């Protein structure tokens, strides 16, 4: 029985890391899409192509990965009994920031789809640092478990 539970935990962890990879890939790609999108005129046919690419990336990769990373992560938390660990609390805070960034990106895509371009390419490139920094913090917390 113990062996089955240990195996289940490893399968949950594999599922978690697979969807972390998909989620992070999408979080890196979408702001890049925005930069290229904003280089074409809002009235051009290319604009509609970018709107479609962004919507697909959100629908097919980003939203399902967000849900599955959370589902597998919470499954690991409960089955591993990690709930009272300091590193997990800090990790959850960083993951909440990353989830907030995801929601903000989805909102920005909605604005772009109706021709509103709120930020410059340079500002978007700078914002693109957020997922990298958050991922580095999260991975150190979960692997080193410093507290
Ligand atoms: C969404 C909420 C999340 C929760 C509740 C959560 C929770 C967990 C838990 C409890 C583990 C197992 C730790 C262990 O067995 O030592 C784990 C593993 C892991 N998590 Fe998350 N996680 C979440 C999101 C993320 C994100 C966003 C990333 C990366 C950016 C990430 C990266 C990892 C990695 C790489 C592991 C494997 C660590 C190892 O095997 O040593 N997690 N997560």
């Amino acid at each position: 029985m113990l062996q089955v539970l240990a195996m289940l935990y490893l399968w949950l962890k594999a599922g978690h890391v697979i969807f972390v990879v998909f989620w992070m890939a999408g979080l890196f790609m979408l702001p890049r899409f925005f930069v290229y999108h904003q280089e074409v005129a809002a009235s051009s046919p290319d604009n509609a192509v970018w709107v479609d690419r962004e919507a697909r990336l959100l629908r097919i990769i980003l939203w399902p990965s967000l849900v599955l990373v959370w589902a597998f992560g919470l499954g690991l938390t409960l089955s591993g009994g990690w709930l009272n660990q300091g590193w997990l609390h800090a990790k959850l805070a960083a993951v909440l920031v990353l989830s907030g960034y995801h929601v903000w990106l989805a909102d920005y895509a909605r604005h772009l789809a109706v021709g509103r371009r709120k930020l410059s390419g340079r500002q978007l490139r700078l914002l693109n640092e957020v997922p990298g920094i958050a991922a580095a913090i999260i991975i150190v917390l979960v692997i080193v478990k410093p507290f």
Side-chain angles (χ1 to χ4, degrees), residues 17-63:
V17 176
I18 289 167
F19 287 102
V20 162
V21 172
F22 291 165
W23 191 33
M24 295 308 302
L27 289 179
F28 283 122
M29 277 168 79
L30 192 56
R32 277 271 131 199
F33 278 16
F34 292 162
V35 171
Y36 300 135
H37 183 166
Q38 293 196 168
E39 284 168 4
V40 305
S43 54
S44 71
D46 277 353
N47 185 65
V49 175
W50 280 110
V51 170
D52 184 54
R53 280 186 189 132
E54 288 152 6
R56 277 167 187 266
L57 183 61
L58 276 158
R59 194 177 62 245
I60 300 169
I61 306 281
L62 276 160
W63 282 112

Side-chain angles (χ1 to χ4, degrees), residues 9 13 16-17 20 23-24 69-70 73-74 76-77 82 87-88 91-92 95 98 134-135 138-139 142-143 145:
Y9 186 81
K13 190 139 72 171
H16 182 60
V17 176
V20 162
W23 191 33
M24 295 308 302
V69 165
W70 271 98
L74 293 176
L76 286 167
T77 303
W82 296 114
W87 66 267
L88 182 77
K91 176 176 170 169
L92 283 177
V95 177
L98 210 51
I138 291 169
I139 287 170
V142 74
I143 291 182
K145 297 187 177 58

